[in-house]
Amino acid sequence: MEDSLVEYGARRVIITITAILCALLEIVDSTIVNVALNEMKGNLGSTLSEVGWVITAYAIGNVIVVPMTSWLSQQFGRRNYFAASIIIFTVFSFLCGNADNIWELVFFRLCQGIGGGALLVTSQTIITESYPIEKRSMAQAIYGLGVIIGPTLGPPLGGYIVDNFSWPYIFYINIPIGIAATLMTLQFIKSPKYAEKRKASDVDWLGIALLAVTVGSLQYILERGHEEDWFASGWIVIFTVSAVLGFILFLWRELTFKYPIVELRVLKNSNLRIGTVMSFVLGFGLYGSTFIVPLYTQSILGWTALESGALMIPAALTTAFMMPIIGKLLSKGVKQQILVSLGLFTFFVYSFWGYKILTPDTGKDAFFWMLMVRGAGLGLLFIPITSLSLSTLKGQEIGQGAAFTGMMRQLGGSFGIAAITTFIANASQKYRVNLVSHLDSNDFDVQQRLAGLKASFMAKGMTPDAAMNAAYKMLDLTVTKQATVLSYMDVFLYLGIAFLICIPFILLVKERKSKEKIDLSGVH
């Protein structure tokens, strides 16, 4: 039975392309919007924190649906569910582009996220199952390409579209791809028969509700916590309580109900448990660092979205280049733990390097090799972690395992971004106070600096008073910028240390009993 899903020749190529297209659609869409937030803000007349919801809503939709994908595929048949997800995604992409106000857009993004959640996990399962066992590592490598290049393609593509067209086109671009992917899915993808459908009365409705409440609240806290000053906000407290209670009830429900919507028992598999935690760390590093480098180059160095997006491309190509090599190494029987530890160490090198080169005016060239190292590190982490998680699962468990690692990667990313934004805001306050205390207006250097600035502003035709005010403002901006750079440096340093700390834990992962070569990607 299991072999019936394995495809050969042109059909396999087409299925692989379809699945990767869908994974890319989903991932590019989660990052492409970041670049267009300013345009949307002006266009829809909303505040910065309102426009942030465009990203939040999508993430919430994603995270809620990902754990349920395995169950939904069984319920409706994989092919139908996959095609329906693409259609939902495409239709709401069109509606997003047509939204008239910010809350309409946010609602459509939520629905788009619900359609998109399936694309990532299901495409991973489809690719894995279309290849025979001995080629599985290659299959994971091919899928990994999509997942890692996706977040990198988003910003430059978004920047290009926003510069040359207008923001709705970042959504419209999904429509032709979505239509092509739907047709290809209906034509070529097969549905496995693992389990019978459930009657409506057997469906775990309470589990679905609890899952949505828990994960939705958690995602809300992470995305909005910083803006609303964490627990000072009544909403954050309410959502924290609902996330904790929801989680406890959800665990109880899933472990006692006859047909749970999320099969928690899969986590008895120790490799999957470790892989799930590592996926969280990977998400933290992948999305965290994809978020912080463009943020730094745009806010401190004043680059355009297109420039800062383009900066990330060589790193993504490095990863792309690494993937097949690592796939080969794994099929040859190199241990996953060793590759993952190497990857974590490489990430430490990257972070420490970042810590060393950041200044208020770092040049483009300084980033090149540092980001290449990041690309190599991601390549070393991605496939081995995925393979490690899924290597000892069989049949239906694969989809369930992939859903766990997928969800943890998403949540890791949200945690990473929430932690980084909060940290930067607090640390730059602290550094600013510290720096200001060293600026004494009687100090000779300070007076010279102010006199120089004042003279240059007067040369531009300002009155002496206005020039003096402008000079103080300039000095103030310089201090703020320095403080922000210092806090970015800290982020890099601490991220690096966090990756180093993970290494010993990875080396503790227990070996498989059997001596056969591990097939990564490992699933069936």
Side-chain angles (χ1 to χ4, degrees), residues 53 216-225 228 235-236 239:
W53 271 101
S217 310
L218 182 60
Q219 192 74 25
Y220 175 89
I221 301 164
L222 292 174
E223 302 254 350
R224 314 303 303 163
E228 300 182 13
W235 279 112
I236 296 282
F239 278 117

Side-chain angles (χ1 to χ4, degrees), residues 131 135-143 323-325 327-328 331:
Y131 284 75
K135 293 243 176 78
R136 284 259 162 88
S137 309
M138 276 331 269
Q140 279 314 53
I142 295 171
Y143 171 74
M323 287 276 182
I325 301 176
K328 275 268 188 298
S331 357

Side-chain angles (χ1 to χ4, degrees), residues 434-452 468 472 475:
N434 192 356
L435 289 170
V436 170
S437 66
H438 292 293
L439 282 180
D440 177 1
S441 53
N442 299 324
D443 183 316
F444 179 65
D445 289 337
V446 175
Q447 288 176 341
Q448 277 216 303
R449 179 72 189 265
L450 284 169
M468 198 62 205
Y472 275 117
L475 195 61

Side-chain angles (χ1 to χ4, degrees), residues 277-282 285 336-352 373-374 376-382 384-385 495-507:
V277 176
M278 286 313 300
S279 296
F280 184 83
V281 175
L282 177 70
Q336 288 118 315
Q337 293 94 309
I338 298 192
L339 292 176
V340 173
S341 307
L342 266 175
L344 288 169
F345 184 73
T346 314
F347 239 95
F348 163 72
V349 172
Y350 151 74
S351 304
F352 196 70
V373 172
R374 170 178 177 266
L378 276 179
L380 283 164
L381 286 174
F382 189 85
I385 288 177
L495 270 179
I497 293 170
F499 282 115
L500 264 190
I501 293 171
C502 293
I503 295 180
F505 294 103
I506 292 300
L507 296 172

